[in-house]
Amino acid sequence: MAGQRLSVTRRSVLRGAIAAGAMAGAVAAGAARPTSARAAAGRRVAVLGGGVAGLTAAHELAERGFEVTLYERRALGGKARSILVPGSGKDGRPELWGEHGFRFFPGFYRHIPDTMRRIPFAGNANGVWDNLVAASEVRFSRKGTDDTIIPMGKAGKPWSSPDTFRETVGSAITTSTNMGTSDALYFANRLLVFNTSCDARRNGQWDGVPWRDYVGAGKRSNEFRMLLSRTLTTLLVAAKDDKASTRTIGNMGEQFLGNPLETGNDGPLDRLLNGATNEAWIDPWVNRLRELGVTFVNAEIRGLELDGARISGARVVDSTGAAQTVEADHFVSALPVEVARTLWTPEILSLRPELAGMSQLTVDWMSGIQFFLRRRTDIARGHVAYVDSPWSLTSIAQGQFWNRTPVTGLGDGSIQDCLSVDISDWNTPGILYGKPAKECTHEEIARETWAQLGAHLNDRGELLSQDDLHSWFLDTGIAWDASQKRNTNADPLLINTAGSLALRPYSHADSLQNLYLAGDYVRTNVDLATMEGASESARAAVNKLLEVTGSDAPRCQVFTLYRAPELEPFRQLDIARYASGQPNMFDA
């Protein structure tokens, strides 16, 4: 049945929002809308998708006077949202909070903190940004051997030359791990090679090389392979080290290890929120957008319609099942890559043929499970990486950080802590059932994850007790298909595999005039599937929209990653070396 064509105006979006109702208690009609005269001036924007990219685009556009309607089919915040544990609240207490995965805000993030400062929060001088708190250490937990606890924060000494760079990084690795000096200095030199590589080499050579090959892990010690090859990649991008792009991992290494004094950072290197993500960030953000006039509609995007070189409408289905075609002057696609690429018709691809490469981009799983405990844990004052775990687990004990919404005040009153765990490898068999997480029931996932945690933490004394386990909650995006005996995942993660840069599009092309792309798959400076990448891409999309419309509004601020100025002369020399086919001068 043909859908009804609607124009994105104040009356129609309000009517659509009322018909759709609230989305997870969050998506409903917005505040007062801009005038129809402004809408007639080509300032109507439909934002498709309500994750971090979509919310960022809506925020930046609304601040610049555009009439914005945002369409989201599930819940605002996307992968960043919190998820209430249904039925967990007792005797008037709020329900427990689950998460898709614990939130992590490195100090080199600049776009997300900039937005946070513009989201009012009662009692906070700097808005939501003041809800960020620092984690003081990270623990690398090993099965059957001593764990390593590394202080987080400014460390090391300033360096002024390639030689002192190698010495500083190598010494930091040697003193904080069980790695020998030879391996540590070798890795420091590999990081130096990357840090002194020009952009053309990073994009043209290193993007096509898997991280394991780049660092020569096959010829190094087991400690080297586990920490600097396997764990580093699974922690950052949930990818295997033989698949992950050296460009992506090298960029992150440049921030974490190549900048020991945290020069140019927004704050401490490791930060978390002081409460559940929705309460500390997402809900205040949505409220701010409503104040700015953004309207939210609960609807799923089913397709785009083309008229010449312009998108003329977006086909949507609302929560009642009614089909509509939404009209706007501009469309910002802020959908995840696995959804966005289903919208590219042959006609759209004829205008933007580079979008066809998106079908080759890889997505995999990285999802969270929370264990609610009757006793406070004392594992680490920060993140824990379970180095030998088959499922590449990482965790954070949230109780020590949640002073705004204490875990102790939630649920049935007996909860003292929440151990939030990310499962980064869903394809490797576990230790209990001999099956990968994708093939385990939810109960098996919980038991297997708990067993892998215990195998690491209880090998030198009991840090996790079965008696302390109250309950658990698995990310609702993971759904068990009994007929197939495996799970599905509604929220997979983009993996920056070797050679994938060429497959990732820019936010806009003149050949398709009024479509703008925002999402962590879009080419960005941060080059990682993160909230930060989503925010940066949304800002780039809005800046292109401002350019296309001839707007004199100030452009969105876009930040670049830190690069040591001491190494810039070597990067300049590397331009000619790469162009002539020579290796980087330190690539011995």
Side-chain angles (χ1 to χ4, degrees):
M1 181 174 66
Q4 180 184 3
R5 180 173 293 276
L6 297 179
S7 174
V8 182
T9 63
R10 177 179 184 273
R11 181 174 299 173
S12 65
V13 293
L14 288 178
R15 184 166 59 244
I18 293 170
M23 179 199 310
V27 180
R33 307 297 301 126
T35 66
S36 58
R38 293 171 69 185
R43 303 179 71 83
R44 303 170 304 164
V45 183
V47 175
L48 313 179
V52 170
L55 293 175
T56 302
H59 193 161
E60 300 292 347
L61 287 163
E63 284 187 339
R64 289 159 176 80
F66 285 82
E67 181 179 356
V68 181
T69 305
L70 185 149
Y71 297 84
E72 168 57 42
R73 70 181 179 91
R74 292 174 64 202
L76 296 172
K79 296 183 183 71
R81 73 190 186 283
S82 302
I83 309 166
L84 287 171
V85 181
S88 60
K90 307 294 182 183
D91 301 323
R93 297 182 188 85
E95 293 179 320
L96 295 164
W97 284 108
E99 305 257 358
H100 169 73
F102 54 72
R103 305 275 72 81
F104 171 41
F105 301 83
F108 62 82
Y109 278 16
R110 304 291 300 280
H111 300 92
I112 291 290
D114 176 70
T115 297
M116 285 179 158
R117 288 184 173 91
R118 290 184 278 133
I119 303 172
F121 196 96
N124 288 359
N126 299 297
V128 164
W129 185 86
D130 284 340
N131 291 339
L132 293 173
V133 292
S136 60
E137 63 188 21
V138 61
R139 179 176 187 149
F140 291 94
S141 184
R142 303 295 301 270
K143 182 180 177 181
T145 188
D146 292 336
D147 293 356
T148 300
I149 297 178
I150 301 175
M152 297 296 287
K154 297 180 180 180
K157 58 183 180 181
W159 50 269
S160 57
S161 70
D163 286 340
T164 56
F165 175 92
R166 276 187 291 245
E167 293 169 4
T168 301
V169 174
S171 175
I173 295 173
T174 301
T175 56
S176 60
T177 70
N178 295 322
M179 198 174 303
T181 301
S182 175
D183 275 352
L185 289 175
Y186 172 80
F187 181 82
N189 192 72
R190 296 312 293 161
L191 189 60
L192 176 64
V193 169
F194 186 88
N195 287 12
T196 56
S197 290
C198 63
D199 284 330
R201 189 185 299 278
R202 295 184 187 206
N203 298 344
Q205 181 178 0
W206 300 140
D207 180 66
V209 177
W211 179 251
R212 185 173 68 180
D213 294 348
Y214 177 77
V215 296
K219 299 179 180 180
R220 313 311 297 185
S221 67
N222 183 64
E223 188 79 0
F224 183 102
R225 291 194 299 272
M226 293 302 297
L227 286 179
L228 299 180
S229 189
R230 180 178 185 268
T231 301
L232 192 62
T233 53
T234 53
L235 280 176
L236 292 176
V237 295
K240 293 185 179 297
D241 53 356
D242 62 341
K243 304 292 184 184
S245 164
T246 290
R247 178 180 186 269
T248 297
I249 305 302
N251 280 337
M252 295 302 98
E254 193 168 26
Q255 305 310 306
F256 281 109
L257 296 174
N259 185 16
L261 300 183
E262 301 174 21
T263 305
N265 279 13
D266 177 81
L269 186 59
D270 188 355
R271 296 177 295 181
L272 306 95
L273 289 167
N274 62 2
T277 310
N278 269 41
E279 292 188 335
W281 177 26
I282 301 299
D283 289 347
W285 196 4
V286 172
N287 291 337
R288 176 56 179 159
L289 297 189
R290 286 201 178 101
E291 291 172 356
L292 291 170
V294 175
T295 296
F296 298 94
V297 177
N298 181 194
E300 180 178 357
I301 311 303
R302 293 289 180 86
L304 299 174
E305 296 185 354
L306 195 63
D307 182 7
R310 296 179 62 82
I311 300 297
S312 59
R315 297 190 303 278
V316 305
V317 174
D318 66 22
S319 60
T320 69
Q324 303 173 353
T325 298
V326 175
E327 293 181 339
D329 300 305
H330 305 276
F331 294 84
V332 177
S333 173
L335 300 164
V337 62
E338 71 277 3
V339 177
R341 62 192 178 191
T342 67
L343 303 179
W344 310 146
T345 63
E347 293 76 19
I348 289 176
L349 291 176
S350 70
L351 294 172
R352 288 199 64 176
E354 75 278 10
L355 298 184
M358 289 173 55
S359 65
Q360 301 177 56
L361 291 173
T362 299
V363 295
D364 211 333
W365 298 14
M366 185 178 189
S367 298
I369 184 171
Q370 286 75 49
F371 294 101
F372 300 106
L373 307 176
R374 297 186 178 93
R375 183 172 60 91
R376 286 290 289 266
T377 62
D378 187 24
I379 300 171
R381 294 173 296 174
H383 292 91
V384 181
Y386 301 86
V387 176
D388 311 291
S389 58
W391 289 2
S392 296
L393 305 178
T394 50
S395 75
I396 190 80
Q398 293 175 325
Q400 60 190 312
F401 299 103
W402 281 22
N403 57 42
R404 182 164 297 283
T405 53
V407 177
T408 53
L410 307 176
D412 63 8
S414 68
I415 309 298
Q416 296 298 307
D417 209 344
C418 172
L419 187 63
S420 186
V421 182
D422 273 0
I423 304 172
S424 298
D425 187 338
W426 289 73
N427 303 301
T428 299
I431 63 176
L432 276 187
Y433 302 103
K435 297 188 294 185
K438 287 181 178 178
E439 298 177 10
C440 290
T441 66
H442 291 186
E443 181 72 29
E444 288 173 338
I445 289 174
R447 291 179 180 273
E448 178 73 56
T449 304
W450 185 262
Q452 292 186 31
L453 295 174
H456 283 70
L457 296 175
N458 294 339
D459 56 350
R460 292 291 192 273
E462 191 174 66
L463 289 178
L464 277 185
S465 170
Q466 184 68 35
D467 293 338
D468 293 333
L469 180 59
H470 175 280
S471 56
W472 53 269
F473 178 79
L474 181 65
D475 177 9
T476 53
I478 304 297
W480 175 250
D481 185 336
S483 64
Q484 299 294 320
K485 294 185 178 181
R486 62 186 296 112
N487 291 291
T488 60
N489 189 349
D491 300 299
L493 179 72
L494 173 72
I495 305 298
N496 287 8
T497 55
S500 62
L501 179 64
L503 305 174
R504 295 167 58 192
Y506 291 100
S507 62
H508 182 260
D510 292 338
S511 55
L512 190 49
Q513 300 165 7
N514 64 337
L515 177 67
Y516 310 85
L517 307 182
D520 55 20
Y521 66 91
V522 177
R523 294 198 194 196
T524 58
N525 180 62
V526 74
D527 187 45
L528 190 64
T530 57
M531 300 178 292
E532 179 75 353
S535 178
E536 181 186 344
S537 71
R539 291 166 180 247
V542 171
N543 283 345
K544 290 301 297 187
L545 191 152
L546 296 176
E547 177 185 320
V548 169
T549 59
S551 172
D552 59 359
R555 275 24 181 187
C556 307
Q557 191 167 6
V558 177
F559 301 90
T560 58
L561 292 176
Y562 172 81
R563 289 187 182 178
E566 297 87 348
L567 299 180
E568 183 58 29
F570 301 98
R571 287 190 284 269
Q572 291 299 315
L573 290 173
D574 196 52
I575 295 174
R577 292 183 66 89
Y578 180 69
S580 63
Q582 294 179 285
N584 179 279
M585 65 185 301
F586 300 107
D587 194 2

